[in-house]
Amino acid sequence: EDQVTQSPEALRLQEGESSSLNCSYTVSGLRGLFWYRQDPGKGPEFLFTLYSAGEEKEKERLKATLTKKESFLHITAPKPEDSATYLCAVQDNGGGYQKVTFGIGTKLQVIP
Amino acid sequence: NAGVTQTPKFQVLKTGQSMTLQCAQDMNHEYMSWYRQDPGMGLRLIHYSVGAGITDQGEVPNGYNVSRSTTEDFPLRLLSAAPSQTSVYFCASSYSRTGNTEAFFGQGTRLTVV
């Protein structure tokens, strides 16, 4: 069974204090790993898709990396507007349906 | 370009009532899906569709029906609402039929069953 574990569950940072969020996953074969941002009361907003180990993608202060067992979302010099819940999800390339398994998320708070 | 539109945003149902959650997308995406999000749990897939006329079950399909008569619309029907179906429901779409590309989510429907 596919599993996604995100850590920490919550993270509080001072503005400008860089850190990383972790997503550990177990799949029989990875079709894709996704990062989303979710603001309170809103739907998830797409950030990145990673398809193979060693792949990296960047967007503004965010950088996502992927290994065979985990992905990291690095946040450099965060600002208060980066406060949100960050969701990780994986899609297995096997199984009977196009299943995407989501983690519970990391709730990030950036304090001015 | 509206993206993915869900209606209603909020709904209260009595146990045993039925209702339809609407979802429409204007991006001509093949893949559409319904998720529920509960506290302490990740988003869980209810049903999905890889194109008009094609639907299939996800992880938690019991108590829900879907249909896909057009590319744009993917309604979710609750047959006989139960308190366990109290949740936030999200509809999503992506252009790849395999669903392994970025998904666009609606704003969600917060459903309470009393």
Side-chain angles (χ1 to χ4, degrees), chain B residues 10-59:
Chain B
F10 301 94
Q11 183 70 48
V12 179
L13 287 180
K14 293 183 178 179
T15 297
Q17 286 185 317
S18 62
M19 79 160 294
T20 299
L21 279 61
Q22 301 292 344
C23 175
Q25 54 93 4
D26 61 359
M27 297 171 282
N28 201 33
H29 285 171
E30 296 268 26
Y31 185 92
M32 296 186 73
S33 54
W34 276 102
Y35 289 89
R36 58 178 290 172
Q37 187 173 41
D38 300 294
M41 303 187 75
L43 287 156
R44 291 181 293 167
L45 182 66
I46 305 172
H47 285 285
Y48 69 99
S49 168
V50 298
I54 307 169
T55 64
D56 208 343
Q57 297 181 350
E59 183 182 0

Tab-separated table of all heavy atoms in Angstrom, chain B residues 10-59:
chain	number	residue	atom	x	y	z
B	10	PHE	N	-21.036	25.721	0.762
B	10	PHE	CA	-21.437	25.176	2.058
B	10	PHE	C	-22.782	24.471	1.895
B	10	PHE	O	-23.619	24.899	1.112
B	10	PHE	CB	-21.570	26.273	3.117
B	10	PHE	CG	-20.331	27.060	3.360
B	10	PHE	CD1	-20.108	28.251	2.690
B	10	PHE	CD2	-19.378	26.614	4.255
B	10	PHE	CE1	-18.952	28.981	2.907
B	10	PHE	CE2	-18.225	27.338	4.484
B	10	PHE	CZ	-18.013	28.524	3.798
B	11	GLN	N	-22.965	23.385	2.665
B	11	GLN	CA	-24.238	22.669	2.622
B	11	GLN	C	-24.441	21.915	3.917
B	11	GLN	O	-23.495	21.293	4.427
B	11	GLN	CB	-24.258	21.693	1.447
B	11	GLN	CG	-25.560	20.946	1.269
B	11	GLN	CD	-26.692	21.831	0.785
B	11	GLN	OE1	-26.537	22.588	-0.171
B	11	GLN	NE2	-27.829	21.767	1.462
B	12	VAL	N	-25.648	21.973	4.440
B	12	VAL	CA	-26.035	21.169	5.598
B	12	VAL	C	-27.146	20.234	5.148
B	12	VAL	O	-28.137	20.676	4.557
B	12	VAL	CB	-26.519	22.045	6.778
B	12	VAL	CG1	-26.941	21.151	7.949
B	12	VAL	CG2	-25.421	23.005	7.217
B	13	LEU	N	-26.973	18.962	5.408
B	13	LEU	CA	-27.965	17.949	5.041
B	13	LEU	C	-28.421	17.199	6.278
B	13	LEU	O	-27.655	17.064	7.250
B	13	LEU	CB	-27.367	16.928	4.072
B	13	LEU	CG	-27.096	17.312	2.634
B	13	LEU	CD1	-26.510	16.111	1.901
B	13	LEU	CD2	-28.376	17.766	1.952
B	14	LYS	N	-29.613	16.688	6.198
B	14	LYS	CA	-30.075	15.776	7.237
B	14	LYS	C	-29.734	14.349	6.817
B	14	LYS	O	-29.680	14.033	5.619
B	14	LYS	CB	-31.574	15.925	7.448
B	14	LYS	CG	-31.980	17.271	8.033
B	14	LYS	CD	-33.472	17.336	8.280
B	14	LYS	CE	-33.841	18.675	8.905
B	14	LYS	NZ	-35.304	18.796	9.141
B	15	THR	N	-29.514	13.505	7.789
B	15	THR	CA	-29.226	12.100	7.514
B	15	THR	C	-30.315	11.522	6.621
B	15	THR	O	-31.511	11.697	6.883
B	15	THR	CB	-29.138	11.305	8.818
B	15	THR	OG1	-28.045	11.807	9.587
B	15	THR	CG2	-28.907	9.830	8.554
B	16	GLY	N	-29.874	10.839	5.563
B	16	GLY	CA	-30.811	10.208	4.642
B	16	GLY	C	-31.137	11.037	3.412
B	16	GLY	O	-31.641	10.498	2.424
B	17	GLN	N	-30.856	12.327	3.446
B	17	GLN	CA	-31.110	13.163	2.280
B	17	GLN	C	-30.087	12.884	1.191
B	17	GLN	O	-28.986	12.406	1.466
B	17	GLN	CB	-31.066	14.653	2.657
B	17	GLN	CG	-32.270	15.141	3.427
B	17	GLN	CD	-32.230	16.645	3.674
B	17	GLN	OE1	-31.199	17.213	4.020
B	17	GLN	NE2	-33.377	17.288	3.505
B	18	SER	N	-30.452	13.194	-0.022
B	18	SER	CA	-29.512	13.063	-1.136
B	18	SER	C	-29.223	14.449	-1.703
B	18	SER	O	-30.006	15.390	-1.510
B	18	SER	CB	-30.086	12.166	-2.226
B	18	SER	OG	-31.260	12.746	-2.754
B	19	MET	N	-28.085	14.570	-2.346
B	19	MET	CA	-27.755	15.830	-3.000
B	19	MET	C	-26.642	15.602	-4.014
B	19	MET	O	-25.984	14.550	-4.004
B	19	MET	CB	-27.323	16.896	-1.996
B	19	MET	CG	-25.906	16.792	-1.489
B	19	MET	SD	-25.290	18.331	-0.805
B	19	MET	CE	-25.240	19.390	-2.264
B	20	THR	N	-26.457	16.596	-4.875
B	20	THR	CA	-25.412	16.559	-5.882
B	20	THR	C	-24.484	17.742	-5.696
B	20	THR	O	-24.938	18.888	-5.616
B	20	THR	CB	-26.007	16.591	-7.301
B	20	THR	OG1	-26.841	15.444	-7.479
B	20	THR	CG2	-24.903	16.586	-8.339
B	21	LEU	N	-23.194	17.451	-5.618
B	21	LEU	CA	-22.170	18.486	-5.614
B	21	LEU	C	-21.733	18.693	-7.063
B	21	LEU	O	-21.376	17.730	-7.749
B	21	LEU	CB	-20.961	18.068	-4.771
B	21	LEU	CG	-21.052	18.233	-3.249
B	21	LEU	CD1	-22.180	17.389	-2.668
B	21	LEU	CD2	-19.724	17.845	-2.608
B	22	GLN	N	-21.760	19.942	-7.474
B	22	GLN	CA	-21.434	20.238	-8.861
B	22	GLN	C	-19.958	20.603	-9.019
B	22	GLN	O	-19.355	21.221	-8.141
B	22	GLN	CB	-22.291	21.393	-9.375
B	22	GLN	CG	-23.782	21.153	-9.314
B	22	GLN	CD	-24.254	20.085	-10.285
B	22	GLN	OE1	-23.545	19.706	-11.232
B	22	GLN	NE2	-25.459	19.559	-10.045
B	23	CYS	N	-19.399	20.200	-10.157
B	23	CYS	CA	-18.024	20.552	-10.495
B	23	CYS	C	-17.944	20.784	-11.986
B	23	CYS	O	-18.400	19.934	-12.774
B	23	CYS	CB	-17.068	19.441	-10.085
B	23	CYS	SG	-15.352	19.749	-10.595
B	24	ALA	N	-17.367	21.912	-12.380
B	24	ALA	CA	-17.196	22.216	-13.798
B	24	ALA	C	-15.815	22.808	-14.007
B	24	ALA	O	-15.324	23.572	-13.184
B	24	ALA	CB	-18.265	23.196	-14.259
B	25	GLN	N	-15.185	22.421	-15.126
B	25	GLN	CA	-13.890	23.002	-15.491
B	25	GLN	C	-13.938	23.472	-16.942
B	25	GLN	O	-14.595	22.866	-17.776
B	25	GLN	CB	-12.738	22.008	-15.251
B	25	GLN	CG	-12.890	20.658	-15.901
B	25	GLN	CD	-12.258	20.513	-17.260
B	25	GLN	OE1	-11.588	21.428	-17.764
B	25	GLN	NE2	-12.463	19.354	-17.885
B	26	ASP	N	-13.221	24.551	-17.215
B	26	ASP	CA	-13.243	25.156	-18.547
B	26	ASP	C	-11.877	25.079	-19.214
B	26	ASP	O	-11.552	25.910	-20.074
B	26	ASP	CB	-13.724	26.605	-18.462
B	26	ASP	CG	-12.828	27.483	-17.600
B	26	ASP	OD1	-11.822	26.955	-17.051
B	26	ASP	OD2	-13.134	28.674	-17.450
B	27	MET	N	-11.074	24.083	-18.844
B	27	MET	CA	-9.712	23.964	-19.377
B	27	MET	C	-9.586	22.788	-20.344
B	27	MET	O	-8.483	22.460	-20.774
B	27	MET	CB	-8.721	23.797	-18.208
B	27	MET	CG	-8.702	25.005	-17.288
B	27	MET	SD	-7.752	24.752	-15.773
B	27	MET	CE	-8.921	23.778	-14.815
B	28	ASN	N	-10.693	22.146	-20.656
B	28	ASN	CA	-10.711	21.008	-21.567
B	28	ASN	C	-9.829	19.858	-21.057
B	28	ASN	O	-9.199	19.149	-21.853
B	28	ASN	CB	-10.272	21.432	-22.979
B	28	ASN	CG	-10.752	20.459	-24.030
B	28	ASN	OD1	-11.821	19.859	-23.907
B	28	ASN	ND2	-9.958	20.272	-25.069
B	29	HIS	N	-9.805	19.681	-19.738
B	29	HIS	CA	-9.006	18.618	-19.155
B	29	HIS	C	-9.698	17.274	-19.269
B	29	HIS	O	-10.914	17.159	-19.096
B	29	HIS	CB	-8.730	18.923	-17.676
B	29	HIS	CG	-7.701	19.980	-17.463
B	29	HIS	ND1	-7.443	20.531	-16.237
B	29	HIS	CD2	-6.846	20.583	-18.325
B	29	HIS	CE1	-6.476	21.421	-16.338
B	29	HIS	NE2	-6.110	21.469	-17.605
B	30	GLU	N	-8.902	16.244	-19.536
B	30	GLU	CA	-9.442	14.888	-19.635
B	30	GLU	C	-9.741	14.309	-18.254
B	30	GLU	O	-10.739	13.664	-18.035
B	30	GLU	CB	-8.414	13.984	-20.333
B	30	GLU	CG	-8.109	14.369	-21.762
B	30	GLU	CD	-9.010	13.622	-22.738
B	30	GLU	OE1	-10.128	13.228	-22.362
B	30	GLU	OE2	-8.593	13.433	-23.885
B	31	TYR	N	-8.832	14.485	-17.323
B	31	TYR	CA	-8.891	13.812	-16.032
B	31	TYR	C	-9.560	14.701	-15.000
B	31	TYR	O	-9.178	15.860	-14.823
B	31	TYR	CB	-7.464	13.468	-15.582
B	31	TYR	CG	-7.364	12.662	-14.305
B	31	TYR	CD1	-7.328	11.276	-14.332
B	31	TYR	CD2	-7.273	13.285	-13.062
B	31	TYR	CE1	-7.217	10.525	-13.165
B	31	TYR	CE2	-7.171	12.549	-11.893
B	31	TYR	CZ	-7.140	11.174	-11.960
B	31	TYR	OH	-7.029	10.436	-10.800
B	32	MET	N	-10.582	14.157	-14.357
B	32	MET	CA	-11.235	14.854	-13.256
B	32	MET	C	-11.408	13.898	-12.092
B	32	MET	O	-11.520	12.676	-12.287
B	32	MET	CB	-12.601	15.424	-13.689
B	32	MET	CG	-12.487	16.492	-14.766
B	32	MET	SD	-14.065	17.292	-15.145
B	32	MET	CE	-14.318	18.314	-13.677
B	33	SER	N	-11.426	14.452	-10.894
B	33	SER	CA	-11.491	13.612	-9.711
B	33	SER	C	-12.187	14.328	-8.574
B	33	SER	O	-12.282	15.555	-8.577
B	33	SER	CB	-10.071	13.194	-9.284
B	33	SER	OG	-9.238	14.338	-9.131
B	34	TRP	N	-12.664	13.542	-7.628
B	34	TRP	CA	-13.264	14.043	-6.403
B	34	TRP	C	-12.487	13.489	-5.217
B	34	TRP	O	-12.204	12.287	-5.152
B	34	TRP	CB	-14.723	13.604	-6.279
B	34	TRP	CG	-15.691	14.475	-7.011
B	34	TRP	CD1	-16.289	14.227	-8.211
B	34	TRP	CD2	-16.198	15.739	-6.571
B	34	TRP	NE1	-17.120	15.258	-8.545
B	34	TRP	CE2	-17.089	16.194	-7.556
B	34	TRP	CE3	-15.985	16.528	-5.428
B	34	TRP	CZ2	-17.781	17.410	-7.446
B	34	TRP	CZ3	-16.671	17.721	-5.318
B	34	TRP	CH2	-17.547	18.150	-6.312
B	35	TYR	N	-12.197	14.398	-4.279
B	35	TYR	CA	-11.520	14.039	-3.037
B	35	TYR	C	-12.359	14.511	-1.855
B	35	TYR	O	-13.117	15.465	-1.957
B	35	TYR	CB	-10.153	14.722	-2.929
B	35	TYR	CG	-9.105	14.208	-3.860
B	35	TYR	CD1	-8.951	14.739	-5.136
B	35	TYR	CD2	-8.231	13.202	-3.465
B	35	TYR	CE1	-7.965	14.278	-5.990
B	35	TYR	CE2	-7.235	12.741	-4.305
B	35	TYR	CZ	-7.114	13.285	-5.564
B	35	TYR	OH	-6.126	12.827	-6.391
B	36	ARG	N	-12.131	13.859	-0.721
B	36	ARG	CA	-12.632	14.389	0.531
B	36	ARG	C	-11.442	14.631	1.457
B	36	ARG	O	-10.437	13.898	1.398
B	36	ARG	CB	-13.657	13.475	1.193
B	36	ARG	CG	-13.212	12.076	1.518
B	36	ARG	CD	-14.326	11.290	2.209
B	36	ARG	NE	-14.586	11.776	3.569
B	36	ARG	CZ	-15.596	11.371	4.325
B	36	ARG	NH1	-16.460	10.470	3.869
B	36	ARG	NH2	-15.761	11.860	5.554
B	37	GLN	N	-11.547	15.681	2.262
B	37	GLN	CA	-10.470	16.028	3.177
B	37	GLN	C	-11.021	16.092	4.591
B	37	GLN	O	-11.935	16.884	4.859
B	37	GLN	CB	-9.824	17.371	2.788
B	37	GLN	CG	-8.589	17.704	3.595
B	37	GLN	CD	-7.882	18.958	3.073
B	37	GLN	OE1	-8.525	19.937	2.707
B	37	GLN	NE2	-6.555	18.906	3.021
B	38	ASP	N	-10.479	15.268	5.452
B	38	ASP	CA	-10.916	15.201	6.833
B	38	ASP	C	-9.756	15.547	7.761
B	38	ASP	O	-8.590	15.268	7.433
B	38	ASP	CB	-11.436	13.790	7.150
B	38	ASP	CG	-12.602	13.408	6.273
B	38	ASP	OD1	-13.658	14.041	6.412
B	38	ASP	OD2	-12.455	12.490	5.429
B	39	PRO	N	-10.050	16.119	8.925
B	39	PRO	CA	-8.971	16.490	9.871
B	39	PRO	C	-8.089	15.296	10.206
B	39	PRO	O	-8.578	14.200	10.484
B	39	PRO	CB	-9.760	16.977	11.091
B	39	PRO	CG	-11.083	17.410	10.563
B	39	PRO	CD	-11.386	16.487	9.421
B	40	GLY	N	-6.765	15.499	10.163
B	40	GLY	CA	-5.835	14.431	10.528
B	40	GLY	C	-5.632	13.380	9.453
B	40	GLY	O	-4.929	12.398	9.682
B	41	MET	N	-6.274	13.591	8.295
B	41	MET	CA	-6.113	12.630	7.191
B	41	MET	C	-5.773	13.392	5.924
B	41	MET	O	-6.178	14.540	5.746
B	41	MET	CB	-7.396	11.833	6.987
B	41	MET	CG	-7.855	11.103	8.226
B	41	MET	SD	-9.242	10.020	7.904
B	41	MET	CE	-8.417	8.687	7.056
B	42	GLY	N	-5.060	12.726	5.050
B	42	GLY	CA	-4.776	13.352	3.764
B	42	GLY	C	-6.001	13.337	2.876
B	42	GLY	O	-6.999	12.668	3.156
B	43	LEU	N	-5.936	14.064	1.801
B	43	LEU	CA	-7.003	14.001	0.795
B	43	LEU	C	-7.148	12.563	0.321
B	43	LEU	O	-6.155	11.894	0.025
B	43	LEU	CB	-6.645	14.890	-0.397
B	43	LEU	CG	-6.740	16.390	-0.174
B	43	LEU	CD1	-5.850	17.131	-1.147
B	43	LEU	CD2	-8.183	16.828	-0.346
B	44	ARG	N	-8.395	12.106	0.252
B	44	ARG	CA	-8.654	10.743	-0.199
B	44	ARG	C	-9.536	10.757	-1.441
B	44	ARG	O	-10.559	11.441	-1.488
B	44	ARG	CB	-9.320	9.920	0.916
B	44	ARG	CG	-8.393	9.623	2.082
B	44	ARG	CD	-9.094	8.791	3.135
B	44	ARG	NE	-10.164	9.533	3.800
B	44	ARG	CZ	-11.082	8.967	4.573
B	44	ARG	NH1	-11.088	7.667	4.768
B	44	ARG	NH2	-12.019	9.714	5.151
B	45	LEU	N	-9.123	9.957	-2.430
B	45	LEU	CA	-9.803	9.925	-3.720
B	45	LEU	C	-11.113	9.142	-3.615
B	45	LEU	O	-11.128	7.995	-3.162
B	45	LEU	CB	-8.887	9.286	-4.762
B	45	LEU	CG	-9.406	9.206	-6.189
B	45	LEU	CD1	-9.563	10.597	-6.788
B	45	LEU	CD2	-8.463	8.367	-7.045
B	46	ILE	N	-12.197	9.763	-4.074
B	46	ILE	CA	-13.515	9.121	-4.031
B	46	ILE	C	-13.806	8.435	-5.367
B	46	ILE	O	-14.038	7.230	-5.438
B	46	ILE	CB	-14.620	10.152	-3.717
B	46	ILE	CG1	-14.315	10.898	-2.420
B	46	ILE	CG2	-15.984	9.468	-3.632
B	46	ILE	CD1	-15.248	12.071	-2.146
B	47	HIS	N	-13.842	9.227	-6.430
B	47	HIS	CA	-14.047	8.722	-7.783
B	47	HIS	C	-13.213	9.561	-8.728
B	47	HIS	O	-12.857	10.695	-8.428
B	47	HIS	CB	-15.522	8.833	-8.207
B	47	HIS	CG	-16.441	7.838	-7.594
B	47	HIS	ND1	-16.484	6.520	-7.984
B	47	HIS	CD2	-17.367	7.977	-6.621
B	47	HIS	CE1	-17.414	5.880	-7.266
B	47	HIS	NE2	-17.961	6.745	-6.435
B	48	TYR	N	-12.945	8.997	-9.900
B	48	TYR	CA	-12.239	9.766	-10.899
B	48	TYR	C	-12.757	9.412	-12.288
B	48	TYR	O	-13.466	8.408	-12.469
B	48	TYR	CB	-10.724	9.546	-10.806
B	48	TYR	CG	-10.258	8.166	-11.204
B	48	TYR	CD1	-9.741	7.937	-12.483
B	48	TYR	CD2	-10.334	7.102	-10.319
B	48	TYR	CE1	-9.313	6.681	-12.854
B	48	TYR	CE2	-9.917	5.847	-10.688
B	48	TYR	CZ	-9.389	5.634	-11.947
B	48	TYR	OH	-8.975	4.378	-12.321
B	49	SER	N	-12.368	10.253	-13.260
B	49	SER	CA	-12.783	10.030	-14.644
B	49	SER	C	-11.635	10.411	-15.566
B	49	SER	O	-11.000	11.451	-15.371
B	49	SER	CB	-14.013	10.881	-14.958
B	49	SER	OG	-14.272	10.892	-16.344
B	50	VAL	N	-11.396	9.574	-16.573
B	50	VAL	CA	-10.318	9.874	-17.519
B	50	VAL	C	-10.855	10.413	-18.844
B	50	VAL	O	-10.103	10.565	-19.803
B	50	VAL	CB	-9.407	8.644	-17.763
B	50	VAL	CG1	-8.728	8.225	-16.468
B	50	VAL	CG2	-10.193	7.494	-18.360
B	51	GLY	N	-12.143	10.687	-18.873
B	51	GLY	CA	-12.737	11.271	-20.067
B	51	GLY	C	-14.244	11.104	-20.027
B	51	GLY	O	-14.781	10.350	-19.201
B	52	ALA	N	-14.924	11.806	-20.923
B	52	ALA	CA	-16.382	11.731	-20.962
B	52	ALA	C	-16.834	10.283	-21.137
B	52	ALA	O	-16.303	9.550	-21.978
B	52	ALA	CB	-16.920	12.601	-22.093
B	53	GLY	N	-17.783	9.869	-20.317
B	53	GLY	CA	-18.327	8.530	-20.384
B	53	GLY	C	-17.541	7.477	-19.627
B	53	GLY	O	-17.944	6.307	-19.578
B	54	ILE	N	-16.409	7.872	-19.015
B	54	ILE	CA	-15.541	6.906	-18.327
B	54	ILE	C	-15.333	7.351	-16.877
B	54	ILE	O	-14.816	8.441	-16.628
B	54	ILE	CB	-14.165	6.806	-19.009
B	54	ILE	CG1	-14.308	6.515	-20.497
B	54	ILE	CG2	-13.315	5.736	-18.326
B	54	ILE	CD1	-13.028	6.661	-21.278
B	55	THR	N	-15.787	6.519	-15.951
B	55	THR	CA	-15.560	6.816	-14.540
B	55	THR	C	-15.073	5.562	-13.846
B	55	THR	O	-15.286	4.440	-14.323
B	55	THR	CB	-16.841	7.316	-13.835
B	55	THR	OG1	-17.825	6.277	-13.846
B	55	THR	CG2	-17.394	8.558	-14.516
B	56	ASP	N	-14.450	5.759	-12.692
B	56	ASP	CA	-13.975	4.612	-11.928
B	56	ASP	C	-13.876	5.003	-10.457
B	56	ASP	O	-13.865	6.184	-10.109
B	56	ASP	CB	-12.631	4.121	-12.446
B	56	ASP	CG	-12.433	2.632	-12.192
B	56	ASP	OD1	-13.170	2.056	-11.351
B	56	ASP	OD2	-11.540	2.034	-12.825
B	57	GLN	N	-13.811	3.973	-9.618
B	57	GLN	CA	-13.787	4.196	-8.175
B	57	GLN	C	-12.383	4.498	-7.693
B	57	GLN	O	-11.401	3.987	-8.217
B	57	GLN	CB	-14.311	2.949	-7.459
B	57	GLN	CG	-15.749	2.628	-7.768
B	57	GLN	CD	-16.235	1.400	-7.012
B	57	GLN	OE1	-15.450	0.691	-6.402
B	57	GLN	NE2	-17.534	1.158	-7.058
B	58	GLY	N	-12.326	5.320	-6.649
B	58	GLY	CA	-11.074	5.589	-5.982
B	58	GLY	C	-10.967	4.805	-4.700
B	58	GLY	O	-11.448	3.679	-4.593
B	59	GLU	N	-10.404	5.438	-3.699
B	59	GLU	CA	-10.114	4.785	-2.432
B	59	GLU	C	-11.340	4.630	-1.543
B	59	GLU	O	-11.500	3.643	-0.832
B	59	GLU	CB	-9.038	5.598	-1.703
B	59	GLU	CG	-8.549	5.032	-0.394
B	59	GLU	CD	-7.529	5.958	0.259
B	59	GLU	OE1	-7.214	7.027	-0.316
B	59	GLU	OE2	-7.058	5.617	1.358
